[in-house]
Amino acid sequence: MSLDTFNQKKDEEMRESYETTLKDGKKDNAVAFLKNISRKEVERKRSVTFSITESQLNKMDKAARQNGFKNRSEFLASIIDAI
């Protein structure tokens, strides 16, 4: 299971499809393509405080960077979502 927040392959496929549609001048296809894009429902975030050791914090920072996350909070949220 990947811990990536975004599916890079899907993002690339969408970009290529969008560019192809625009280059081909197929306006009807472009409109249909744009209608199929849906936004993920955004849930309100809440700040929390907890204690972990410095070594645990360093491990989390390293794992977040290795897995393409912007920061350790995003990484931790992804782990919790996977539970």
Side-chain angles (χ1 to χ4, degrees):
M1 178 174 129
S2 173
L3 294 176
D4 289 337
T5 302
F6 299 102
N7 185 330
Q8 290 177 345
K9 183 180 177 190
K10 271 253 197 267
D11 291 347
E12 184 66 22
E13 288 172 359
M14 274 181 62
R15 185 187 64 75
E16 288 175 4
S17 176
Y18 186 70
E19 286 179 353
T20 301
T21 300
L22 291 179
K23 285 179 185 175
D24 291 344
K26 299 176 183 174
K27 270 195 162 182
D28 293 335
N29 285 342
V31 171
F33 174 78
L34 291 173
K35 284 183 180 179
N36 288 331
I37 297 175
S38 61
R39 298 190 77 174
K40 182 180 177 183
E41 188 176 320
V42 178
E43 186 177 345
R44 188 177 80 80
K45 291 184 179 182
R46 187 173 142 201
S47 181
V48 296
T49 303
F50 60 93
S51 299
I52 60 174
T53 66
E54 190 68 32
S55 63
Q56 291 168 329
L57 189 60
N58 291 336
K59 285 179 186 179
M60 193 165 55
D61 283 332
K62 183 179 177 184
R65 282 191 308 275
Q66 288 175 342
N67 289 289
F69 289 91
K70 294 178 191 174
N71 53 48
R72 61 182 170 237
S73 293
E74 188 178 277
F75 178 63
L76 183 58
S78 181
I79 292 171
I80 293 169
D81 284 341
I83 295 174

